[in-house]
Amino acid sequence: MESTTTAARSAKGAQQASATNARSATSGPRWLRWAKVAVFVAAWYPLARIVFFGVTDRLGANPIEFITRSTGLWTLVFLCITLAVTPLRRLTGWNVLLRFRRMLGLYAFFYAALHFTTYIWFDKWFDVAAMLKDIGKRPFITVGFAAFVLLIPLAVTSTKAMARRLGRRWQSLHRLIYAIGVLAILHFWWMKSGKHDLALPKIYGAIMLALLGWRLAVWLTARVRARGA
Ligand code: HEM
């Protein structure tokens, strides 16, 4: 009985998620369309900043390091913002926030791809032996790589058509975002612990803990209620 109820709820959740994705990006009131354009443009700021610094010769003594760090940090920022959509929607009742989630998640992937490309191309020049040697010295890179690999299926299935096609499985697959969040913090923490500079990883770790902890609390409460019913 309980499993039937859980399955029904999960199917309903998947339908809602698919329906949200299925809604056209151009649908909705005019202000919403403008808000989406504003978010879309604002999300280019990190890349524009790198290009501007590059053109004005302000990337510092080690430009590759600057770009790797900047794109890594912005990947994490977009991951956190994407993960904040659901709690904010539930706490404020602003369902419209869901209309931004796909775009924000895709920007997380975009900056992760730039971060990864900077490393394998501009830092290592596709030299596999050099990369393996580096990974041996700095194992935190493997954790970042795992997070990036997990982001790929989410980006590939982020379209409305894929959400419709996968149905309930779409929601299960997109729960990978929680593992990605944990791996991203681990990658950041591990990297900075080698430099004895944990101030930022602690802040992002606390934000991630709050975002994932909230979901765990909601899930546990729902389970306890379902048992009591
Ligand atoms: C979701 C995926 C990823 C996230 C969220 C992420 C995030 C970060 C963050 C926040 C930093 C530190 C930035 C700072 O110093 O302020 C960083 C550094 C770094 N990441 Fe990633 N990363 C990811 C994937 C990857 C991948 C796939 C690679 C390479 C295969 C990679 C390689 C590196 C390297 C080498 C550094 C250190 C740069 C340095 O020492 O200057 N990361 N990453």
Side-chain angles (χ1 to χ4, degrees), residues 65 68-69 72-73 75-76 79 112 115-116 119 138 140-141 144-145 147-148 151 180 184 187-188 191-192 195:
E65 189 183 273
T68 312
R69 290 189 175 181
L73 201 59
T75 304
L76 188 54
L79 271 179
H115 184 58
F116 176 63
Y119 178 74
R138 305 193 293 172
F140 71 85
I141 295 172
F145 184 69
F148 178 60
L151 267 174
I180 293 167
H187 173 66
F188 192 19
M191 179 222 154
K192 289 286 191 184
K195 299 177 195 244

Side-chain angles (χ1 to χ4, degrees), residues 11 13 23 43-44 47 54 66-67 179 186 217 222:
R23 259 177 243 136
W44 284 89
L47 183 59
F66 182 97
I67 299 170
L186 186 61

Side-chain angles (χ1 to χ4, degrees), residues 55-132:
V55 170
T56 54
D57 203 14
R58 285 157 62 190
L59 286 176
N62 189 341
I64 302 301
E65 189 183 273
F66 182 97
I67 299 170
T68 312
R69 290 189 175 181
S70 179
T71 49
L73 201 59
W74 280 101
T75 304
L76 188 54
V77 169
F78 277 104
L79 271 179
C80 290
I81 300 175
T82 308
L83 279 165
V85 168
T86 299
L88 276 179
R89 177 184 79 96
R90 292 280 290 269
L91 295 172
T92 60
W94 297 342
N95 291 333
V96 72
L97 290 174
L98 273 185
R99 304 282 207 103
F100 294 83
R101 193 171 56 179
R102 182 158 68 119
M103 191 197 323
L104 293 164
L106 282 173
Y107 272 113
F109 177 69
F110 173 65
Y111 283 104
L114 286 181
H115 184 58
F116 176 63
T117 309
T118 309
Y119 178 74
I120 62 159
W121 190 351
F122 303 113
D123 196 357
K124 299 290 170 224
W125 295 102
F126 300 105
D127 183 341
V128 178
M131 280 186 241
L132 290 176

